[in-house]
Amino acid sequence: MNVLFITSVAVVVADPPESRKLFIEALGLPLVGEDNGYYSSGSVPGSKHFGLWPLSQAAQACFGTAQWPADRVVPQVSIEFEVANAEAVTAAGAELRRAGFELVHEARTEPWGQTVARLLTADGLIVGISYAPSLHDVQDDQHPG
């Protein structure tokens, strides 16, 4: 597996309004809300994407339901690692399975164009292997050298 960079870090929040008080009001991070309650920014130095991810949305993304499964550790954070293309996400998922890790879902393309496979650690960390086309410089890919 060839990880190119950290795609994103998102704090998984059970109480989004309370979390926004800390991250937006107290810390002053330039997070912008979306209609669905997710707040994020690509303008936090040192991060391609930083977000506040409501637990219900993390549950939907991982398990297809708004409720986090009672038999799984509740996540605290999500971190995604970028690979070169969508096919590399599929290959990375297979590599992780061969290494003994259980994926919460195989590689799939989300509505916003990102291809991602995720696993959940025993410590409550959602780890994603991702290909987000918007984070790649298309010109450099088309004109190597």
Side-chain angles (χ1 to χ4, degrees):
M1 185 176 329
N2 181 26
V3 172
L4 302 177
F5 52 83
I6 296 172
T7 308
S8 74
V9 175
V11 179
V12 179
V13 297
D15 186 345
E18 193 63 32
S19 295
R20 288 192 298 270
K21 286 181 188 176
L22 169 63
F23 290 98
I24 297 172
E25 295 173 24
L27 295 176
L29 297 180
L31 306 181
V32 176
E34 298 176 13
D35 292 336
N36 60 10
Y38 184 82
Y39 279 71
S40 67
S41 177
S43 300
V44 176
S47 173
K48 297 256 186 213
H49 179 93
F50 179 85
L52 301 178
W53 196 14
L55 179 60
S56 61
Q57 290 178 21
Q60 188 68 44
C62 290
F63 299 104
T65 178
Q67 295 295 317
W68 193 263
D71 63 338
R72 299 285 187 127
V73 62
V74 177
Q76 304 300 303
V77 71
S78 171
I79 186 166
E80 294 177 352
F81 298 96
E82 193 75 3
V83 293
N85 53 46
E87 294 79 19
V89 174
T90 301
E95 186 177 334
L96 289 167
R97 280 193 314 283
R98 284 192 304 275
F101 296 97
E102 177 186 350
L103 299 180
V104 294
H105 68 76
E106 300 289 331
R108 68 172 184 228
T109 302
E110 302 288 7
W112 50 90
Q114 174 192 34
T115 301
V116 62
R118 294 184 178 100
L119 63 89
L120 177 66
T121 71
D123 299 317
L125 174 64
I126 298 171
V127 177
I129 304 300
S130 167
Y131 173 69
S134 64
L135 297 179
H136 294 262
D137 185 1
V138 177
Q139 283 185 328
D140 286 347
D141 291 345
Q142 292 175 350
H143 303 289

